[in-house]
Amino acid sequence: MKTISKLALVAAFATGASSMAITTPAFAKDKKADAAPTVKLSPEVQKPGLAAQTALAAKDYPTAQTAIDQIDAAAKTDYEKYIGAALRYQLESEKLVAAQTTNPNAPINETTLATPLDALIANPATPAADRGRYAYRRGALAFNGKQYPIALQYFSKAKELGYTDPNLSLQIIKAKMDSGDVAGATADLDAAITQMTASGQKAPEEYYRYAIAKSYAAKRKPETMAWLKKWITAYPSAKNWRDVLILSGIQKDALITLDEPQKVDIFRLMRATNSLADQTDYLQYADSVNRRGLPSEAQAVIKEGLASGKIPASNTMAKGLLADATKNIAADGPLSGLEKRAATAPNGKLAAGTADAYLGQNNYTKSIELYRLALTKGGIDADDVNLHLGIALARSGDKAGAATAFSAVKASPKADIANLWTTWLGAPAA
């Protein structure tokens, strides 16, 4: 999320005093000009006011400083105090711009703007149309100083005063987030995205990434997972899918704690989304399924990695895995014999195992048939079978059937894996 530039609040008023309702006629000496202002200034304020304005135009800042000090000492009415504060803000703003122009690499000390800004915001004589803008500038000043609760206070006041700026809502969110209110900030960001979507706009991808990063850092795992799903639905790509799935269940400190067989179902989703990125992904996936007794899946994964060039042809581990998987496939023989035995078995365990083998061969018709047989016979882990049935149905193109199977997976972490597959069903093609 883009933060306010350190010079943004400086530049706003540095271009002239007119935006602060300080004009030369207010300090004019002739009677005709004196009749113009609706608010009368005392001579003690009018004279140094004109001197300050003249000095500012000439960039004579020491003279302007002296004149503004005289205004503050003489001011009695709210309007006169407003004039002094507005001129002081212009002076400090212009000094900062001049310093930055002279030495762009020097640190900027914006704290000199706080006092005149506070005075302008609090003064009832400040034009109503300007008070919101001043509050926004004051919020930016606090934000740049990492005073996030104070920034939130002033940004909220700017909104209350009717100030409109395309960055205001996002600055409120960021100030709220950096103040520690992650739940409130992400709720506001979600509402902003919803509003943008309803108006036909697409929220920038950085909004989602920001919410994910902050939610994850705050150890809000369910919220992080929810934002991952929103992000991948809005911005599906192979790279984004990999990031989602690695964070969800593969990396250390992942959102879902998975054992090795459960991680295989995450790798299967990476394969379905074309998000297996490099030889490490392919080899870890193939090694895991090969050791689980699914050599056909291991063989297919290695061959895909080699064909894509993501596994170098010279990779020793890949060669060994491919040879081992090929030997195991020959030793196992055709699956048709297991399929016949599964039909007469007293429970569904053999049917489920044979279905897993067919799934590894991409034979979705046979795997679906046998998963359903396993569910009918019972004696199996229904969540495991429904998850794999959903995967087979999804890969076969039966989205409705897959969604039904995934919804039948009840217990975590398998239900969390099923939800990721369901998200893929509903997301646009990468």
Side-chain angles (χ1 to χ4, degrees):
M1 183 178 296
K2 187 177 180 180
T3 59
I4 298 174
S5 164
K6 289 199 174 218
L7 282 178
L9 64 101
V10 175
F13 289 98
T15 56
S18 60
S19 62
M20 293 181 291
I22 304 170
T23 58
T24 300
F27 307 108
K29 296 180 179 179
D30 64 87
K31 293 182 179 179
K32 182 177 180 182
D34 274 348
T38 57
V39 181
K40 186 74 173 177
L41 296 175
S42 67
E44 293 82 6
V45 170
Q46 188 178 27
K47 183 177 179 180
L50 180 59
Q53 195 172 47
T54 302
L56 285 169
K59 301 189 182 303
D60 180 357
Y61 300 133
T63 299
Q65 176 76 56
T66 300
I68 294 168
D69 289 343
Q70 292 172 356
I71 294 173
D72 289 346
K76 294 181 176 59
T77 67
D78 286 336
Y79 186 71
E80 289 177 340
K81 293 175 183 177
Y82 158 69
I83 291 294
L87 282 168
R88 189 173 298 280
Y89 182 60
Q90 183 183 354
L91 169 66
E92 297 300 337
S93 298
E94 290 192 10
K95 285 167 63 178
L96 285 175
V97 171
Q100 182 69 2
T101 301
T102 301
N103 189 354
N105 297 321
I108 300 175
N109 179 15
E110 299 175 312
T111 58
T112 56
L113 302 174
T115 297
L117 277 172
D118 286 340
L120 288 165
I121 295 165
N123 195 324
T126 301
D130 291 338
R131 290 182 70 219
R133 182 165 68 243
Y134 287 131
Y136 182 72
R137 301 291 190 271
R138 184 64 177 87
L141 176 63
F143 189 92
N144 290 338
K146 301 185 186 303
Q147 298 173 313
Y148 302 120
I150 295 174
L152 178 60
Q153 170 191 335
Y154 282 106
F155 285 143
S156 298
K157 187 172 184 63
K159 186 174 183 179
E160 175 188 328
L161 291 169
Y163 181 68
T164 57
D165 183 280
N167 290 322
L168 178 55
S169 294
L170 296 177
Q171 288 302 138
I172 289 174
I173 289 167
K174 187 155 178 47
K176 188 177 289 189
M177 185 78 78
D178 290 339
S179 296
D181 184 5
V182 178
T186 51
D188 288 350
L189 185 55
D190 193 29
I193 291 173
T194 300
Q195 185 176 14
M196 292 180 73
T197 303
S199 66
Q201 296 177 281
K202 186 172 184 178
E205 188 172 4
E206 64 181 359
Y207 289 10
Y208 298 93
R209 289 183 175 274
Y210 178 73
I212 291 165
K214 291 296 185 179
S215 298
Y216 182 74
K219 301 186 185 303
R220 298 173 62 85
K221 290 187 176 182
E223 290 79 5
T224 305
M225 182 62 77
W227 276 103
L228 284 172
K229 292 173 183 175
K230 291 174 183 177
W231 172 45
I232 201 61
T233 299
Y235 288 93
S237 69
K239 181 183 181 304
N240 288 354
W241 265 113
R242 185 177 190 277
D243 289 346
V244 167
L245 296 174
I246 292 294
L247 178 57
S248 294
I250 301 297
Q251 72 175 38
K252 183 181 179 181
D253 298 326
L255 299 176
I256 315 167
T257 301
L258 302 176
D259 59 23
E260 186 177 0
Q262 291 159 356
K263 287 182 180 180
V264 166
D265 293 323
I266 296 292
F267 278 119
R268 284 171 172 157
L269 184 50
M270 291 175 72
R271 186 182 179 192
T273 55
N274 297 313
S275 59
L276 293 165
D278 53 33
Q279 60 184 329
T280 300
D281 289 347
Y282 282 95
L283 294 175
Q284 186 177 348
Y285 177 9
D287 180 57
S288 184
V289 290
N290 192 50
R291 286 186 288 103
R292 287 184 62 215
L294 299 170
S296 293
E297 189 166 359
Q299 183 188 67
V301 169
I302 291 296
K303 286 184 175 180
E304 285 175 14
L306 290 168
S308 68
K310 292 178 181 178
I311 300 178
S314 59
N315 187 284
T316 303
M317 184 176 176
K319 290 179 180 178
L321 274 172
L322 190 57
D324 193 41
T326 302
K327 181 180 70 175
N328 290 338
I329 291 169
D332 290 344
L335 295 177
S336 55
L338 291 176
E339 186 180 348
K340 290 178 181 179
R341 287 169 53 197
T344 59
N347 57 51
K349 291 181 180 179
L350 183 57
T354 307
D356 284 342
Y358 274 127
L359 178 64
Q361 293 182 350
N362 297 340
N363 189 335
Y364 304 123
T365 300
K366 283 291 186 182
S367 62
I368 291 167
E369 177 185 329
L370 286 163
Y371 284 134
R372 286 176 170 158
L373 175 63
L375 289 170
T376 301
K377 285 180 170 291
I380 40 84
D381 181 338
D383 277 352
D384 193 61
V385 173
N386 275 309
L387 174 58
H388 292 168
L389 172 60
I391 292 172
L393 288 163
R395 297 308 307 272
S396 75
D398 184 356
K399 291 187 175 184
T404 299
F406 289 139
S407 67
V409 183
K410 302 301 182 185
S412 293
K414 291 172 185 174
D416 300 310
I417 299 171
N419 285 334
L420 286 167
W421 277 90
T422 300
T423 300
W424 175 59
L425 291 176

